[in-house]
Amino acid sequence: MSDYSKYSPQTRFAHMARPKAGLGTPVNTSIQRASTLLFERAEDLYRGDVRGYGRHGVEVHDNLKDIFCELEGGKGASLTPSGLAACTLAIMSIVKAGDHLLLTDSTYGPVRNFCLNYLNTIGVETEIYDPHIGGNIESLIRDNTSLIWLESPGSLTFEIQNLPAIATAAKARDVTTIIDNTWSGGITLKPLSLGIDISVHSATKYFGGHSDLLAGVVISGSENLAKKVAQTSKYIGHSLAADDAYQILRGMRTVFPRFQQAESTALELAQWLSERSDVELVLHPALPEHPDHALWARDFTGGACTFSFTLKDKTEAHAVKFINGLNIFGIGYSYGGFESLAIHCGPQLKRSLSKQNFKGPLVRLACGVEASKDLIHDLKQGFNAIS
Ligand SMILES: *Cc1c(COP(=O)(O)O)cnc(C)c1O
């Protein structure tokens, strides 16, 4: 691989981890589909210093891991068959029976479920903490605390966490920190540089980018942790199909322009909504009125494609009617694809501590690459449906 380190990320991502140009070589890494890998000599089967079996990946997986490490400044990456699998792999790499885990109240629902409803059955205790706790997390750390799980901004509710303060408190007690960094795509937040140990992503979102595959990645800030995660992945047996790894690598080539367009559309829509009298609250950390705006401005270099807002003096039934009144926004989970999406959050919003007391129903928008004026027109139709 040539040295692209002097270039900006979008240039690096277009050029790194590709085959060397020769006489008529393809631009992209070829997909090799393999379970069995063959050896010429029996004595090579157990060498251990070459690929042995398809589950451990082929060249396309190596290229993808390299580019993920480059994205976050990581020392090693493990690929998983979904984003949720990346989250659970990272957790399982750190905790053991008898341990105590601190989980932010703003955690993505399925990860919360895994900790509260599965880890408890294998002797790991989960304690939920307020996402705004900052350095005071120190008071919750016990002798058997092995992991602090972060997500910033929080899923659906967009609280920003004080990452360096939490990382410092954790390091002082030898506790590992892991962040679910899916929202920022690793593009507008670099948690490893702020002292967090491991960053996980649902690659399903921006990197896949086209709503047609599932994948995840665990990126570690040290070689030691990277080895630990890779070993746990081997124990569990995670693998990612070469075709899916290829599609993620393909998405990586264009992730910057796609992300930037969706990010700027999301901000434009958030600003437009915040000026409407029928909107109570817009939860986008780039807006100066967001309660955590200062923290966001300190640690992030930009936004992302999703944010939420609440309808003023309306009920959950109005939120349903609002979303049904939209034409361009699809009704569905996820984000980071080329197409915009909307969901009402009420039925899946689980919080133990942070009493948000939203005065109206919460709606989350995920912006795709459509023209923002068309999306604004679409939102007007939603408001018409409930006015
Ligand atoms: C989507 C998402 C996940 C899960 O990813 P999948 O690829 O859908 O399994 C995890 N965390 C966050 C924050 C997400 O948005």
Side-chain angles (χ1 to χ4, degrees):
M1 189 174 70
S2 315
D3 179 21
Y4 294 107
S5 55
K6 63 175 186 265
Y7 299 118
S8 49
Q10 67 194 75
T11 306
R12 293 208 294 277
F13 276 43
H15 288 275
M16 66 176 288
R18 276 176 30 196
K20 214 175 150 64
L23 282 169
T25 41
V27 167
N28 290 291
T29 309
S30 301
I31 306 178
Q32 300 166 309
R33 297 187 186 87
S35 54
T36 296
L37 304 174
L38 290 175
F39 296 86
E40 266 181 309
R41 304 173 335 142
E43 49 270 49
D44 288 334
L45 272 172
Y46 299 103
R47 281 170 54 144
D49 61 336
V50 291
R51 298 176 205 286
Y53 189 54
R55 201 166 52 224
H56 308 143
V58 290
E59 192 182 1
V60 68
H61 300 84
D62 289 347
N63 289 166
L64 186 55
K65 288 180 198 175
D66 285 348
I67 213 164
F68 272 124
C69 285
E70 179 79 13
L71 176 74
E72 292 245 7
K75 292 288 192 291
S78 288
L79 303 171
T80 56
S82 73
L84 180 57
C87 297
T88 59
L89 168 64
I91 294 170
M92 296 298 277
S93 302
I94 304 302
V95 301
K96 59 181 188 317
D99 281 0
H100 172 245
L101 181 170
L102 287 165
L103 188 80
T104 176
D105 204 13
S106 52
T107 300
Y108 175 69
V111 173
R112 184 187 178 96
N113 289 340
F114 172 76
C115 294
L116 293 175
N117 302 324
Y118 175 74
L119 284 183
N120 60 325
T121 68
I122 58 166
V124 176
E125 183 191 350
T126 296
E127 179 178 350
I128 303 230
Y129 69 89
D130 186 323
H132 290 124
I133 196 166
N136 292 332
I137 198 151
E138 185 189 0
S139 64
L140 299 181
I141 296 176
R142 306 178 192 166
D143 289 342
N144 65 338
T145 306
S146 55
L147 171 60
I148 300 174
W149 182 268
L150 304 96
E151 186 178 334
S152 181
S155 270
L156 310 176
T157 46
F158 295 88
E159 300 90 343
I160 302 292
Q161 297 195 258
N162 192 340
L163 306 186
I166 294 176
T168 302
K171 276 196 170 57
R173 299 285 298 275
D174 207 18
V175 174
T176 303
T177 47
I178 307 180
I179 188 167
D180 184 334
N181 194 22
T182 301
W183 184 80
S184 87
I187 292 172
T188 55
L189 180 70
K190 307 286 184 187
L192 302 182
S193 74
L194 299 173
I196 302 297
D197 295 314
I198 295 176
S199 177
V200 304
H201 288 270
S202 164
T204 306
K205 308 289 164 59
Y206 306 109
F207 306 115
H210 296 76
S211 309
D212 54 2
L213 62 84
L214 291 154
V217 63
V218 181
I219 307 165
S220 298
S222 73
E223 269 162 33
N224 219 4
L225 282 172
K227 263 192 207 150
K228 226 170 160 175
V229 175
Q231 185 57 56
T232 307
S233 177
K234 270 191 179 179
Y235 289 144
I236 294 175
H238 279 318
S239 72
L240 181 64
D243 293 85
D244 289 348
Y246 180 87
Q247 295 292 4
I248 301 281
L249 190 56
R250 191 180 203 258
M252 281 287 194
R253 306 300 179 195
T254 57
V255 73
F256 280 86
R258 287 187 290 105
F259 184 96
Q260 280 157 1
Q261 160 139 15
E263 175 195 9
S264 92
T265 298
L267 189 55
E268 187 180 340
L269 265 52
Q271 277 158 346
W272 180 80
L273 285 164
S274 70
E275 283 158 21
R276 287 187 68 98
S277 57
D278 42 8
V279 169
E280 178 82 47
L281 191 65
V282 180
L283 298 171
H284 190 310
L287 295 185
E289 60 265 32
H290 187 282
D292 305 327
H293 177 71
L295 264 187
W296 172 84
R298 187 192 68 185
D299 294 344
F300 288 72
T301 54
C305 77
T306 65
F307 67 97
S308 297
F309 66 97
T310 58
L311 297 166
K312 191 170 193 169
D313 300 327
K314 293 281 189 276
T315 63
E316 199 66 21
H318 287 109
V320 168
K321 212 166 164 193
F322 173 86
I323 291 171
N324 284 337
L326 302 173
N327 219 355
I328 300 175
F329 284 89
I331 303 169
Y333 297 116
S334 198
Y335 54 88
F338 56 82
E339 84 296 8
S340 294
L341 295 168
I343 54 169
H344 58 299
C345 304
Q348 61 160 312
L349 191 59
K350 289 198 192 104
R351 294 292 182 263
S352 309
L353 304 170
S354 26
K355 294 273 167 286
Q356 246 102 14
N357 289 327
F358 294 133
K359 293 203 186 81
L362 190 64
V363 174
R364 187 186 74 182
L365 299 181
C367 300
V369 300
E370 302 96 332
S372 56
K373 72 172 173 37
D374 294 334
L375 294 174
I376 286 176
H377 175 77
D378 213 36
L379 292 176
K380 280 184 192 161
Q381 289 195 312
F383 284 111
N384 288 342
I386 56 168
S387 67

